[in-house]
Amino acid sequence: MVARAHIGKLIIGGTYPVRIKGMLKGSLTDRSSLLAEARALVTEGAEAIRIAVKRPGEAAIAQYLKKYIEVPLVADIHFNYKLALEAVENGFDAIRLNPLNLTKQAEIKEVVDAAKRADISVRVGINSGGFKKDFSSEQALAAAMVSSALAFLKILERRDFSNITVSLKASTIRATTLANRLFAKKSDYPLHLGITATGPYQEAVVKSSIGIGGLLSQGLGSVIRVSLTAPSYLEIRIAKYILQALDLRSFGPQIISCPTCSRCQVDLIKIVNDFQKEALTLHRGGHTLPGKIALMGCEVNGPGEARQADIGVAFGKKRGVVFKKDKIVGFISEKSCVTELLKRCVKMPYGTAKSRNSAKTQK
Ligand code: SF4
């Protein structure tokens, strides 16, 4: 069983659901923009927010943001242990320390003792880019990442400190996977998963989904952070899609739709986009919708997929057949299908499909 850590009130590890962490990208000097960004992350579903603290005095941002948002804050610290001490003093709920650039034992001990007194968490975060040498293979890199993390953890453990999460991130999926799997064999600290420096948006989404999703599907990982060269709220959205795709958590209705082909006689791409937008608006407004909703382009796979969802529609020419499980319950026209299907959805109890299970395991 994975150990537990806590970042403020957010419990990580144990049997708790996999958490989603975000990161602010804006300048700390433009406080109102930063607050708007933080609020967007919270609205999207971030459960903890990391902030890079680079200079003396910057940690005071925690005091400002905490006046407006309740999500716990994590200070990302490199090189300078005094910044970590400032983060603790200013009310951050966790600090991320990098064993590859915070190496003096006396400094580490001072930070850990301060974190312990304040009852805040430490993430021991290794990034492969922090090594100053090349490795002969990805296995060798992964082994070096793990041994650096374990050596750092020993210092924390000798101070009787255990409110810890660990991350081992590389820019390749293979090295990240090897490092996390190796670490999990040696230690039960909760793992924070991520693939770092993933590249442009679409490639980054693919890399993150395979890397993070692969580890999650092997039962590893207690908190995830998706890194994209894109606005920060998109990182949270993709994190939610990854968790939902693996049926680990549910954040609203899952839409099952086909890729369309020449058999499709409606504009399914538009229908699905419009439906998703409206469904999310209803979900955010407090309406409960079915867990799985299928929108299929024709009668070939449509009825089958629609039946496996809580509710579904298989389109034909200008209209669609609506299924609830294996029963046909009506017909809807192409023109008003989004509104008509949503009307039927909001009247249903929240999902009977298995994706709903994880919705209850939060908090
Ligand atoms: S469900 Fe029908 S329209 Fe959609 S991809 Fe399959 S065959 Fe084509």
Side-chain angles (χ1 to χ4, degrees):
M1 158 90 76
V2 174
R4 278 174 23 182
H6 66 89
I7 302 178
K9 289 185 187 148
L10 184 75
I11 302 175
I12 290 169
T15 56
Y16 283 80
V18 179
R19 306 301 194 180
I20 297 175
K21 203 184 274 181
M23 184 154 179
L24 293 180
K25 303 191 177 200
S27 160
L28 302 198
T29 54
D30 184 353
R31 287 189 161 188
S32 57
S33 297
L34 202 70
L35 177 59
E37 188 187 357
R39 283 182 161 145
L41 289 191
V42 174
T43 304
E44 195 66 42
E47 294 168 302
I49 295 178
R50 183 154 58 113
I51 303 165
V53 175
K54 306 177 292 300
R55 294 184 200 92
E58 283 187 347
I61 196 69
Q63 295 189 34
Y64 169 74
L65 291 174
K66 278 176 173 254
K67 285 185 207 155
Y68 305 100
I69 60 166
E70 289 184 4
V71 165
L73 302 177
V74 183
D76 190 41
I77 307 291
H78 294 267
F79 305 107
N80 183 350
Y81 82 107
K82 288 199 173 149
L83 295 177
L85 295 175
E86 277 189 28
V88 177
E89 278 162 23
N90 279 278
F92 273 96
D93 302 284
I95 42 176
R96 178 273 174 103
L97 302 176
N98 185 341
L100 300 182
N101 60 35
L102 199 65
T103 53
K104 290 187 183 147
Q105 292 231 1
E107 294 179 358
I108 298 165
K109 284 175 187 167
E110 200 175 329
V111 173
V112 173
D113 289 350
K116 194 173 171 185
R117 280 194 301 276
D119 190 25
I120 72 166
S121 175
V122 169
R123 170 158 69 95
V124 176
I126 303 262
N127 271 32
S128 62
F131 286 107
K132 290 191 176 68
K133 59 173 187 169
D134 292 333
F135 291 90
S136 56
S137 66
E138 289 185 299
Q139 278 93 341
L141 169 62
M145 290 165 75
V146 171
S147 70
S148 296
L150 291 173
F152 198 87
L153 285 165
K154 266 200 189 122
I155 303 170
L156 273 54
E157 286 161 354
R158 279 195 219 108
R159 312 302 289 174
D160 198 21
F161 185 84
S162 59
N163 188 9
I164 297 168
T165 60
V166 173
S167 64
L168 303 148
K169 298 186 187 181
S171 55
T172 69
I173 293 168
R174 190 167 155 70
T176 305
T177 304
L178 288 168
N180 280 278
R181 285 171 59 169
L182 181 61
F183 183 85
K185 283 187 192 148
K186 295 171 185 269
S187 170
D188 64 355
Y189 287 117
L191 281 167
H192 160 129
L193 303 181
I195 306 289
T196 188
T198 44
Y201 180 69
Q202 292 185 1
E203 285 168 65
V205 169
V206 172
K207 270 195 194 174
S208 296
S209 305
I210 296 171
I212 295 172
L215 284 163
L216 288 171
S217 61
Q218 292 168 49
L220 301 180
S222 300
V223 55
I224 65 172
R225 158 99 210 290
V226 171
S227 306
L228 307 173
T229 311
S232 52
Y233 73 92
L234 286 175
E235 298 179 337
I236 308 301
R237 191 169 294 175
I238 300 302
K240 286 161 73 179
Y241 287 149
I242 292 172
L243 294 176
Q244 187 146 298
L246 290 167
D247 268 337
L248 290 171
R249 291 184 67 175
S250 177
F251 300 96
Q254 220 182 114
I255 295 169
I256 294 143
S257 57
C258 77
T260 83
C261 69
S262 60
R263 287 194 184 90
C264 185
Q265 298 179 79
V266 296
D267 186 353
L268 193 68
I269 297 173
K270 180 172 177 351
I271 291 171
V272 168
N273 286 339
D274 290 350
F275 184 85
Q276 185 186 36
K277 209 162 137 203
E278 295 296 324
L280 281 176
T281 306
L282 284 171
H283 177 71
R284 287 184 180 144
H287 289 275
T288 49
L289 288 119
K292 283 189 178 169
I293 304 167
L295 293 130
M296 302 295 290
C298 80
E299 72 285 354
V300 173
N301 295 317
E305 287 292 347
R307 274 190 210 109
Q308 284 170 39
D310 295 302
I311 185 167
V313 54
F315 285 100
K317 193 168 184 188
K318 294 192 175 161
R319 68 173 198 168
V321 188
V322 183
F323 292 85
K324 272 188 196 168
K325 296 298 169 190
D326 49 4
K327 283 201 184 87
I328 293 177
V329 294
F331 295 88
I332 53 178
S333 74
E334 180 188 0
K335 263 191 186 159
S336 56
C337 62
V338 170
T339 320
E340 285 185 50
L341 189 60
L342 281 167
K343 262 191 217 157
R344 289 172 185 266
C345 287
V346 289
K347 285 185 197 151
M348 289 176 70
Y350 186 66
T352 43
K354 68 178 181 158
S355 64
R356 78 194 189 280
N357 296 345
S358 49
K360 294 176 187 159
T361 58
Q362 300 184 38
K363 302 288 188 255

